[in-house]
Amino acid sequence: MTTPSPRTSQPVRTAIFPVAGLGTRFLPATKATPKELLPVLDRPLLQFAIDEARAAGIERMVFVSHPSKSAIERYVHADEDLSRKLREKGKHSIADRLEDAAIDPEAEEAHFVMQPEPLGLGHAVLCAVDHVLPGPVAVILPDDLIMGGPGCLSEMIDAYAGAGAGHMVATMEVARDEVSAYGVLDPVGETGGRLLHASGMVEKPDADKAPSLQAVVGRYVLDGSIFDDLRNQTPGLGGEIQLTDAIAKGVARVGLCGFRFSGQRFDCGSKAGMLRATLAYAGSREEFHPVLQDHSALAMAAE
Ligand code: G1P
């Protein structure tokens, strides 16, 4: 592996949100409601991702969506009419919550671009190319909900300038029989710290061929050259343009490291993960503690 040149630290100003997937695993719930708008209690999955990007100082959010999911666009933008009606009725705290959730055009921008065909995560990221600001870009997969700690993306961006790698991916160790569901890092040595330098990355390897148990979860900070690599990327696993393959291609040039984040990650692409996230979120809100206590008392009685 050639040694990548030292990086200049340009700020990370853009976050790309791939939200074009049709959420078939959650049908019929996702027949008329985009998967990203399914609620974790009273907060859509997408809102967690938007708030995480905001906390990380992202200026521009690019949503790569699907023509059938126009509800996402409606959700993201402010609804002045609804706010006004709520305020007229004296429901100020609900109006405040609604306004806080929506994009504030004075502080941030939302761009929408369509990915009509499911050609892969790498293709989705490439769809955003004409909308990104100069410098490295963040990618957030809203299905991966990361709760607790400072936001995962904030932590990554704080560590990015000193990491000595142009591509940084959030990583966590998984069991061997789970590696085939993830992009997996090929680490170089073991630092024991939060950064894990890697010489490559493989998309969904078989358990017996995985280079490590260091799985990539849906947060990326990528050198701007990722778009050139994506443009030249041939289809990989499943016939799709894989983001993993384009990242791996840039390793010799820009470097790659995993980042061990401090929050807890929930796989909200699965029903069990969604349920776990909902229980954890309820646990973080005192008003729901009596419900959780009743539930655990019931569960113990049933044993
Ligand atoms: C995608 C990526 C994979 C990554 C995963 C994290 O896969 O392709 O590399 O590990 O997200 O959730 P998906 O879960 O969309 O199949």
Side-chain angles (χ1 to χ4, degrees), residues 22-24 26-35 38 68-69:
L22 295 182
T24 46
F26 280 89
L27 281 170
T30 46
K31 187 178 169 199
T33 303
K35 173 180 67 167
L38 294 180
S68 68
K69 296 173 82 174

Side-chain angles (χ1 to χ4, degrees), residues 121 141 144 181-183 201 203-204 216-218 220 242 244 265:
L121 178 58
L141 308 187
D144 280 331
Y182 297 92
M201 190 175 153
E203 182 68 5
K204 303 189 177 128
V216 173
V217 307
Y220 307 75
Q242 296 292 349
T244 295
R265 177 260 188 178

